[in-house]
Amino acid sequence: RYWSVVLPLMASTSGSICTLVTARRSGMLPSSGYSHANVALAPRASQQIIAAFMNSKLSPGLGIVILLGVSTAFAANHVAARLAFDHGASVATGIVIRAAGTAAVLLVLMRIAHIPLVLPKELRGQALLAGLLVAVQSYCLYSAVALIPAALALLVFQVCPMLYVLLSWAMGKETPRPMTFAAMALALAGLVLA
């Protein structure tokens, strides 16, 4: 189903390296192949920094700290949205502020990595669909945060991994183990108690 090809990637201080990449038979690289930084446009010092960052591994302790920081920011985002809703802000305003903040952070990261902002034509429809789905998801989640306590809304939102497992099973992809069903039942029982 998959085959491997060796492709030169412009991501090292020497200019090019060969990396084994698994690609689909259609010839499209994983993540569409368009997400690689355009290192040729970067100055030499930036190339070294980008290459060192891309080739380094995080220590488990640093990974846990980053995970805690991201999850705290995610939770604080919804609590702050609830406070804003309680003081007269609309759900649409909350979504626009959240999207604008995310876009600004991504723009800075893409500029640092010298990733072009132009999307290839073949990905524009998929990107538009993904954007619409994220907008609907954000509207539904923020509407829930506006109506019920933020913690309960986030607990309900976190049922989505269970739905993914059940949908994968229904589509014949993978049969969950019995312990998976037990964990789902326990999580749903906790949600009912909340």
Side-chain angles (χ1 to χ4, degrees), residues 82-143:
R82 178 57 188 253
L83 288 172
F85 298 150
D86 288 345
H87 289 89
S90 69
V91 171
T93 302
I95 293 169
V96 168
I97 296 296
R98 179 184 183 192
T102 302
V105 169
L106 288 175
L107 179 65
V108 168
L109 292 174
M110 290 174 72
R111 285 296 177 200
I112 289 171
H114 299 281
I115 297 173
L117 298 178
V118 178
L119 213 60
K121 286 182 182 178
E122 56 270 4
L123 293 179
R124 290 179 186 164
Q126 294 172 351
L128 180 62
L129 177 63
L132 289 173
L133 291 174
V134 169
V136 169
Q137 175 264 329
S138 293
Y139 184 80
C140 292
L141 181 58
Y142 269 38
S143 295

Side-chain angles (χ1 to χ4, degrees), residues 20-40:
L20 190 63
V21 182
T22 302
R24 294 190 182 271
R25 284 193 179 145
S26 67
M28 186 169 283
L29 295 174
S31 300
S32 76
Y34 295 104
S35 63
H36 299 292
N38 190 352
V39 183

Side-chain angles (χ1 to χ4, degrees), residues 133-171:
L133 291 174
V134 169
V136 169
Q137 175 264 329
S138 293
Y139 184 80
C140 292
L141 181 58
Y142 269 38
S143 295
V145 167
L147 297 173
I148 61 177
L152 185 58
L154 290 172
L155 279 173
V156 172
F157 176 72
Q158 294 305 326
V159 172
C160 61
M162 290 183 225
L163 295 176
Y164 177 78
V165 168
L166 293 175
L167 284 172
S168 295
W169 180 36
M171 293 169 46

